């Protein structure tokens, strides 16, 4: 097979800049191409503590400024907290070792919106 033929076939199996893929694409790669990171807003006017663990006794590792948006990696149960979005024991992991109470994140749900942390 000539080099130009290899390149032409390779182009059919990759996603373009719009996420469109060639007809020979695998379902797994199609799913990955379609996945997008979702960012959730924190409660307006709130500076939210980010903690080492899913409870208010855990060390504060940083503070999210007002009008922040966060990507939730996974969620877990922890200490029950009351905030602008209700009372919940769900905590959102926004990075390894960084948790915020879901009571301060507008997910649109009182339940889990993503995978549970392992």
């Amino acid at each position: 097979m000539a080099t130009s033929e290899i390149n032409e076939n390779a182009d059919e199996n990759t996603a373009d800049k719009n996420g469109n893929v060639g007809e020979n694409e695998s379902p797994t790669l199609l799913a990955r191409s379609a996945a997008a990171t979702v960012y959730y807003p924190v409660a307006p006017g709130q500076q939210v503590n980010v903690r080492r663990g899913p409870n208010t006794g855990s060390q504060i590792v940083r503070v999210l400024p007002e009008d922040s948006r966060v990507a939730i990696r996974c969620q877990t149960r922890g200490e029950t907290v009351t905030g602008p979005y209700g009372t919940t024991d769900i905590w959102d992991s926004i990075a390894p070792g960084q948790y915020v109470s879901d009571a301060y994140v507008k997910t649109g749900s009182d339940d889990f919106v993503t995978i549970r942390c392992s």
Side-chain angles (χ1 to χ4, degrees), residues 50-54 58-62 73-74 92-100 117:
V50 179
R51 298 186 176 273
R52 178 94 39 222
S58 289
Q59 175 188 10
I60 296 172
V61 294
R62 64 185 173 122
R73 299 173 57 245
C74 61
D92 307 328
S93 173
I94 61 171
Q98 296 187 23
Y99 295 87
V100 295
C117 301

Side-chain angles (χ1 to χ4, degrees), residues 9 15 19 27 39 41 46 50 57 69 71 81 83 90 104-106 112 115:
N9 290 336
Y39 288 88
Q46 299 286 321
V50 179
R69 298 176 73 77
V81 173
I90 297 174
Y104 288 87
V105 180
K106 186 176 183 179
F112 289 85
I115 61 171

Side-chain angles (χ1 to χ4, degrees), residues 2 9 16 20 37 47-49 53 57 61 81 87 103-104 107 111:
N9 290 336
D16 66 17
N20 299 318
T37 302
Q47 293 182 335
V48 179
N49 291 331
V61 294
V81 173
T87 299
Y104 288 87
T107 62
D111 206 353

